[in-house]
Amino acid sequence: MNFKKLLPHVVAIVIFAIVTAAFFSPLVFDGKRIGQSDVVNFNGSAKEIQDYRDSHNGAEPLWTNSMFGGMPAYQISVKYPNNYVQYIADIFSAIIPTPATAIFLCMVGFYFLLFTLKIDPWVGIGGAIAFGFSSFFIIILQVGHNTQAFAIAYMAPVLMGVLLATRGRMWLGGAITAVSLALELYSNHLQITYYLLITVLFVGIGEAVRLFRAGEMKYLVRVAGVLFAAVFIAVLPNLTNLYLTEEYGKYSTRGSSDLKTGSKGLDFNYAVQYSYPVGE
């Protein structure tokens, strides 16, 4: 093992941990919490579920009457004890408390993506800090969009895994893709996952064209198989949640509606009213 090559990575991770801890010092050192409005609202909507769980030895209720006159509880709060991906996520939260964990992971993931793209590690440290402390992350953490922040944090490792796989390190890239995509899906913010898939699609097309033009069709077929297997492995532990969300979506305002003839969901203006406009 070449410790000289590992040194910049170790230094980078230590710097990211120190910077995150310093910025979130009241959270990390004093045990204080950010007053996140969405988390406060979640605690209120999930209280009936949590009370039932506490009074029935951890049994999961699948229905709650506290939202919209009654709805499936698994769209608010549900625990999947057999989804072992959560224990990987818990390791990260044990290092730095949530939601500061998301900023730390954003920097670590982006740093290794830059390294995969042949950016000098010392330059990559600066780029990763700039990415992790972009105003968007601070804003969404302030209001409690924790799942969104974590989903964004895992985007870079997924892309890194795909690039490693297509650039000669097939098995390592496949393994990183499987683990990081499993964590991405566990974060349960499918809007961000949708953006990630668009990015991976375009990168994948570019890499496929490159390998085809280099006459490496056999490797292209093999790496495609490994990456499809990685996706399959990532989906499996999250399958229950994905299936239930897809099923419930048919009956929500974001799916088809029986009340409007020909309706296929939300109209465009409603769907994008909280999004950045084209100019921005």
Side-chain angles (χ1 to χ4, degrees):
M1 183 178 293
N2 192 328
F3 290 99
K4 188 175 180 179
K5 288 185 177 180
L6 288 177
L7 180 62
H9 306 327
V10 174
V11 171
I13 293 173
V14 171
I15 289 175
F16 299 150
I18 292 173
V19 171
T20 304
F23 187 84
F24 291 94
S25 57
L27 173 70
V28 175
F29 300 113
D30 300 331
K32 295 183 179 181
R33 292 290 179 264
I34 303 172
Q36 300 172 296
S37 57
D38 276 21
V39 174
V40 172
N41 294 334
F42 162 76
N43 289 333
S45 63
K47 186 177 187 306
E48 183 184 49
I49 300 169
Q50 186 59 51
D51 288 347
Y52 182 94
R53 191 181 287 140
D54 293 341
S55 61
H56 289 76
N57 298 318
E60 289 294 316
L62 299 181
W63 186 267
T64 177
N65 295 310
S66 64
M67 291 286 289
F68 304 113
M71 66 174 288
Y74 51 74
Q75 286 298 309
I76 301 173
S77 174
V78 66
K79 295 183 178 180
Y80 299 100
N82 294 321
N83 184 350
Y84 295 106
V85 175
Q86 64 187 303
Y87 302 116
I88 302 176
D90 289 343
I91 293 173
F92 300 142
S93 296
I95 299 173
I96 295 178
T98 302
T101 321
I103 299 295
F104 174 70
L105 291 176
C106 279
M107 290 189 286
V108 172
F110 198 73
Y111 167 81
F112 282 105
L113 173 60
L114 292 179
F115 180 75
T116 303
L117 294 171
K118 308 299 183 182
I119 303 298
D120 182 90
W122 304 109
V123 175
I125 291 174
I129 293 175
F131 175 71
F133 283 93
S134 61
S135 59
F136 180 75
F137 294 125
I138 307 305
I139 292 170
I140 63 175
L141 289 181
Q142 180 183 356
V143 297
H145 293 188
N146 296 346
T147 58
Q148 185 179 25
F150 277 103
I152 295 174
Y154 296 126
M155 293 176 78
V158 172
L159 189 56
M160 169 191 169
V162 172
L163 288 172
L164 282 174
T166 58
R167 298 184 180 187
R169 308 192 70 177
M170 181 172 61
W171 295 112
L172 176 62
I176 292 174
T177 301
V179 174
S180 54
L181 182 57
L183 288 163
E184 167 74 31
L185 294 172
Y186 174 73
S187 299
N188 197 28
H189 199 293
L190 297 182
Q191 177 189 4
I192 298 302
T193 304
Y194 175 70
Y195 299 152
L196 170 62
L197 292 178
I198 293 174
T199 305
V200 170
L201 176 63
F202 281 104
V203 170
I205 291 173
E207 289 296 289
V209 170
R210 181 183 63 80
L211 289 171
F212 176 78
R213 294 179 66 181
E216 299 186 37
M217 284 301 300
K218 287 185 177 180
Y219 185 80
L220 176 59
V221 172
R222 290 173 60 205
V223 78
V226 168
L227 289 176
F228 276 118
V231 172
F232 181 74
I233 292 170
V235 168
L236 278 181
N238 297 288
L239 186 59
T240 301
N241 184 47
L242 292 172
Y243 175 77
L244 291 174
T245 299
E246 191 277 336
E247 182 183 57
Y248 181 77
K250 298 174 183 177
Y251 302 97
S252 75
T253 58
R254 300 186 179 192
S256 59
S257 173
D258 295 330
L259 302 179
K260 296 180 181 180
T261 304
S263 173
K264 295 183 179 179
L266 305 178
D267 62 63
F268 181 80
N269 290 332
Y270 180 91
V272 301
Q273 65 178 324
Y274 294 114
S275 298
Y276 292 124
V278 173
E280 188 170 359

